[in-house]
């Protein structure tokens, strides 16, 4: 082959490599506040990478984002002033691969430097080389497991001796769990719809329905309420695909346009801080703030009062959230009137005040649920 066909040294690669794509995703997450679980599939959809490389990109972006604090600690001694965004992305990707992935150091260095323009390659190479030579000393658990300090403290308050195990489990990517009908849903979420115990002919309301995972597993005549316009599209698509007859209504769950005391079953799967599902949302730990618990707790309490008003005497009310903070769980359900009588939940649920929880584990997300029957 003649030398003239070889790419010239200064040619830009036309097809981005997996690492270049991952670096671009990291820059967008960092600079534009993009969501990892939205920007990654979007960039992948525009790429020509094969399925193996796509999985690699996702692992790089999610892993590096999740472990950002730990990775920055590994890099800090070797970086004197903040480099340009693309170099920061490359350094984080490199340090993540070196420390957390079973990839040969030489391959990591030689491939990762190609992510940055020529003028920055020496710098990135030098820093990553220093990382390979340094001994790691973690100042504390929050840095080692890569959580903000407040989540680390919250884990101690909430899980006691299990805090380390729980925090580690939420650093382990979730495995895909599929229901019999093909819908992908975490095993913990799969337990919720059944708690409503709906029967043929029951009138059922699901007040926070999108994307429809729980709605589609409910029996009876279901009204699915959702406020977010964009998510209604997802909800309708999923319900169609899963052959659900649920009627979709766009409305605010705080003021649902539904007749009071007319539903045999009401599900409120409320918006929450999502601290039980951090393994699915790699950037969530950096977005959620401690004050969100109280803000969302107040909203959930209003929603629960509206949900409760819809339940017919003798009917059932289920409240669920994928978080385990007190202001969003036990404090919310404690506001229900005495006519709502708690129903105990079987194992694997751990009883907690008027409800029950599932502590996050490598096999499932964290979840709180409370079930009530209305006595009068
Ligand atoms: C935890 S998600 C529900 C997940 C859903 N139940 C499932 O299993 O697929 C909470 C949903 O509540 C919606 N939401 C937030 N505020 C709302 C409100 N005021 N009224 C109705 N829906 C709301 C969000 O857009 C989001 O889709």
């Amino acid at each position: 082959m003649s030398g003239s066909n070889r790419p010239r040294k200064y040619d830009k690669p036309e097809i981005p490599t997996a690492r270049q794509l991952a670096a671009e995703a990291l820059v967008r997450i960092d600079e534009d506040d993009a969501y990892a679980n939205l920007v990654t599939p979007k960039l992948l959809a525009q790429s020509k990478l094969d399925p193996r490389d796509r999985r690699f990109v996702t692992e790089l972006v999610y892993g590096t984002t999740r472990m950002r604090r730990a990775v920055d600690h590994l890099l800090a001694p070797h970086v004197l002033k903040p480099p340009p965004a693309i170099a920061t992305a490359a350094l984080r990707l490199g340090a993540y691969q070196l420390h957390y992935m079973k990839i040969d150091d030489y391959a990591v260095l030689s491939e990762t430097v190609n992510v940055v323009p020529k003028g920055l390659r020496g710098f990135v190479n030098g820093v990553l080389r220093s990382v390979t030579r340094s001994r790691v000393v973690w100042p504390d658990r929050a840095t080692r497991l890569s959580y903000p300090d407040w989540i680390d403290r919250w884990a101690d308050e909430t899980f006691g001796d299990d805090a380390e195990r729980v925090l580690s489990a939420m650093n382990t990517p979730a495995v895909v769990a599929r229901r019999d009908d093909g819908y992908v849903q975490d095993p913990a979420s799969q337990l919720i719809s059944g708690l409503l115990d709906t029967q043929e002919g029951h009138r059922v309301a699901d007040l926070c329905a999108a994307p429809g995972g729980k709605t589609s597993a409910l029996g009876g005549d279901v009204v699915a309420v959702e406020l977010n316009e964009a998510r209604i599209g997802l909800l309708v698509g999923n319900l169609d695909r899963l052959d659900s007859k649920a009627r979709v209504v766009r409305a605010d769950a705080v003021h649902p346009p539904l007749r009071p005391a007319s539903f045999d079953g009401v599900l409120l799967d409320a918006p929450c801080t999502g601290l039980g599902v951090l393994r699915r949302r790699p950037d969530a730990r950096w977005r959620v703030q401690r004050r969100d618990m109280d803000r969302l707790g107040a909203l959930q309490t209003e929603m629960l009062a509206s949900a409760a008003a819809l339940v017919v005497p003798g009917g059932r009310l289920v409240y669920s959230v994928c978080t385990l903070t007190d202001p969003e769980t036990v404090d919310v359900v404690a506001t229900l009137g005495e006519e709502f009588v708690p129903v105990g939940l079987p194992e694997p649920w751990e009883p907690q005040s008027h409800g029950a929880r599932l502590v996050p584990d490598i096999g499932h997300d964290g979840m709180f649920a409370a079930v009530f029957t209305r006595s009068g």
Side-chain angles (χ1 to χ4, degrees), residues 171-194:
N171 281 341
T172 312
V175 282
V176 174
R178 237 173 253 284
R179 300 193 311 216
D180 289 345
D181 61 6
Y183 188 81
V184 173
Q185 190 180 38
D186 184 78
S189 293
Q190 289 186 29
L191 297 175
I192 301 295
S193 301

Side-chain angles (χ1 to χ4, degrees), residues 196 198 201-207 221-225 247 249 256-267 306-317 340 374:
L196 211 51
T198 45
H202 271 179
R203 286 149 305 162
V204 178
D206 179 353
L207 292 189
D221 299 328
V222 184
V223 181
V225 174
R247 187 159 62 85
V249 175
L258 303 172
R259 193 141 49 89
S262 66
F263 289 87
D264 304 293
V266 176
L267 169 62
S306 304
L310 299 177
V311 182
V312 78
R316 243 180 203 224
L317 173 63
F340 287 90
R374 180 170 189 165

Side-chain angles (χ1 to χ4, degrees), residues 76-366:
H78 316 292
V79 181
L80 300 180
K81 61 179 179 106
I86 186 67
T88 301
L91 290 175
R92 285 176 171 164
L93 275 181
Y96 178 76
Q97 294 167 81
L98 290 172
H99 201 77
Y100 298 100
M101 293 181 85
K102 291 189 182 76
I103 308 179
D104 177 63
D105 288 2
Y106 175 78
V108 171
L109 262 68
S110 61
E111 295 296 326
T112 306
V113 295
N114 290 331
V115 161
V116 293
K118 274 220 185 101
L120 289 165
R121 286 183 191 165
F123 164 72
V124 168
N125 187 54
V127 172
L128 292 180
R129 218 171 246 286
S130 306
V131 170
T132 63
R133 293 198 198 107
S134 307
R135 209 171 68 84
V136 185
V137 182
W138 299 109
D140 49 37
R141 186 183 69 192
T143 310
R144 173 169 52 88
L145 297 180
S146 193
Y147 285 89
D149 289 337
W150 78 267
I151 295 185
D152 185 70
R153 278 196 302 273
W154 169 77
D156 277 333
E157 289 155 25
T158 311
F159 307 113
D161 290 346
D162 276 345
E164 162 112 15
R165 185 181 60 75
V166 170
L167 292 172
S168 302
M170 291 199 292
N171 281 341
T172 312
V175 282
V176 174
R178 237 173 253 284
R179 300 193 311 216
D180 289 345
D181 61 6
Y183 188 81
V184 173
Q185 190 180 38
D186 184 78
S189 293
Q190 289 186 29
L191 297 175
I192 301 295
S193 301
L195 298 178
L196 211 51
D197 197 23
T198 45
Q199 312 290 328
E200 180 96 26
H202 271 179
R203 286 149 305 162
V204 178
D206 179 353
L207 292 189
C208 288
K214 300 186 185 71
T215 321
S216 57
L218 291 170
D221 299 328
V222 184
V223 181
V225 174
E226 169 63 45
L227 185 60
N228 183 307
E229 181 93 58
R231 290 173 66 85
I232 287 202
L234 276 177
L235 173 61
V236 170
N238 280 331
L239 295 179
D240 279 355
R241 195 164 51 81
L242 296 166
D243 230 6
S244 161
K245 305 270 178 297
R247 187 159 62 85
V248 173
V249 175
R250 180 169 183 224
D252 184 347
V254 178
H255 305 287
L258 303 172
R259 193 141 49 89
S262 66
F263 289 87
D264 304 293
V266 176
L267 169 62
L268 176 62
D269 184 42
C272 69
T273 50
L275 292 182
V277 293
L278 291 178
R279 62 188 185 144
R280 290 183 189 283
R281 304 180 192 155
D283 42 7
R285 68 188 66 188
W286 312 121
R287 290 180 190 281
V288 187
Q289 305 288 319
R290 186 156 204 143
R291 61 178 179 274
D292 294 337
M293 298 180 189
D294 295 323
R295 180 179 59 78
L296 285 160
L299 175 66
Q300 291 150 356
T301 302
E302 275 191 86
M303 285 182 173
L304 188 64
S306 304
L310 299 177
V311 182
V312 78
R316 243 180 203 224
L317 173 63
V318 172
Y319 174 75
S320 59
V321 276
C322 56
T323 194
L324 295 166
T325 75
D326 284 355
E328 299 175 273
T329 58
V330 290
D331 295 356
V332 174
V333 296
T335 62
L336 280 172
E338 277 178 4
E339 69 276 29
F340 287 90
V341 181
V343 175
L345 298 189
E347 279 190 10
W349 294 98
E350 290 174 19
Q352 202 191 13
S353 182
H354 290 329
R357 70 178 189 176
L358 282 176
V359 170
D361 207 332
I362 44 171
H364 59 77
D365 291 338

